[in-house]
């Protein structure tokens, strides 16, 4: 019998039945259980199915972290935004938005 023993399509009975039909296994080499299984088949066909691992979503245990600085920064950007203009480094007396509010 050429091929892998890890075949998962069909049952052992159907594979042996097809081997008998094809002439790969002789009638004299037929397994003992084959006639009994053919006479009294199970009500539900035993088919190989890979066990599914059900993954349950767990609530995120890590709480959101907010610092005092985050609240202050949010208030600042709510009032002043990102700044209306870029820094002008050519002018020595240039005062940025941050510097103007600290004084």
């Amino acid at each position: 019998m050429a091929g892998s023993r890890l075949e998962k399509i069909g049952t052992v009975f159907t594979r042996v039945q097809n081997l008998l039909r094809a002439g790969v296994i002789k009638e004299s080499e037929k397994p003992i259980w084959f006639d009994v299984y053919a006479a009294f088949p199970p009500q539900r066909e035993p088919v190989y199915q890979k066990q599914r691992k059900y993954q349950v979503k767990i609530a995120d245990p890590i709480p959101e972290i907010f610092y005092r600085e985050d609240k202050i920064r949010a208030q600042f950007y709510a009032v002043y935004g990102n700044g209306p203009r870029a820094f002008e480094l050519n002018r020595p007396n240039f005062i940025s938005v941050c510097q103007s509010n600290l004084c």
Side-chain angles (χ1 to χ4, degrees):
M1 186 162 113
S4 175
R5 291 183 178 216
L6 297 176
E7 291 184 39
K8 296 176 174 97
I9 299 173
T11 62
V12 175
F13 177 74
T14 56
R15 286 187 277 161
V16 171
Q17 185 180 29
N18 291 333
L19 290 173
L20 282 168
R21 190 178 305 146
V24 177
I25 297 177
K26 298 177 187 171
E27 195 69 33
S28 61
E29 297 173 350
K30 177 172 51 174
I32 298 170
W33 54 264
F34 186 80
D35 292 328
V36 176
Y37 191 94
F40 305 101
Q43 292 179 356
R44 191 172 57 101
E45 195 71 26
V47 180
Y48 174 81
Q49 290 182 346
K50 192 172 185 178
Q51 295 282 336
R52 293 183 183 178
K53 294 182 180 178
Y54 295 103
Q55 294 185 2
V56 179
K57 282 195 168 186
I58 300 173
D60 192 10
I62 302 172
E64 294 185 18
I65 300 173
F66 288 108
Y67 294 105
R68 244 182 346 144
E69 295 86 8
D70 296 333
K71 291 180 182 177
I72 295 169
R73 187 178 300 113
Q75 290 172 353
F76 175 82
Y77 283 119
V79 173
Y80 299 105
N82 288 336
R85 55 193 170 166
F87 289 112
E88 296 180 28
L89 299 177
N90 294 339
R91 294 179 17 205
N93 59 353
F94 175 76
I95 299 174
S96 69
V97 176
C98 295
Q99 292 170 336
S100 65
N101 291 327
L102 291 177
C103 297

